[in-house]
Amino acid sequence: MASPPPAALHAEAAPALDLLTVPQVMARLQLGRSAVYDLLRSGQLASITLGRARRIPTHALTDFIHARLEQDAGR
């Protein structure tokens, strides 16, 4: 039996990090492109840049939603 390639072993060891595109975040939050980029620019929503592409980790979107829920509950 052949052993899996080293890259496959590494992928199994580390959990996959789901990255969303800006249009995917727009759809999930039901916001426009400018509103999402405003959240990114202000630091309210974390993201990474890969080349020229902006990606938002799913956990960053979840963290943003939880923070907003806590903020709105405190009002």
Side-chain angles (χ1 to χ4, degrees):
M1 178 183 279
S3 62
L9 289 175
H10 180 60
E12 290 175 11
L17 181 62
D18 293 329
L19 299 173
L20 303 170
T21 63
V22 169
Q24 289 171 323
V25 172
M26 290 167 52
R28 289 183 185 204
L29 295 178
Q30 297 182 354
L31 292 174
R33 180 176 298 275
S34 336
V36 172
Y37 277 106
D38 286 344
L39 292 172
L40 294 170
R41 211 173 353 272
S42 69
Q44 295 179 64
L45 184 59
S47 69
I48 61 171
T49 304
L50 301 171
R52 292 180 52 168
R54 174 81 57 177
R55 296 293 182 263
I56 298 92
T58 53
H59 72 82
L61 183 58
T62 304
D63 292 347
F64 167 75
I65 293 168
H66 286 289
R68 290 301 299 257
L69 286 171
E70 289 175 7
Q71 178 185 0
D72 289 351
R75 288 183 179 188

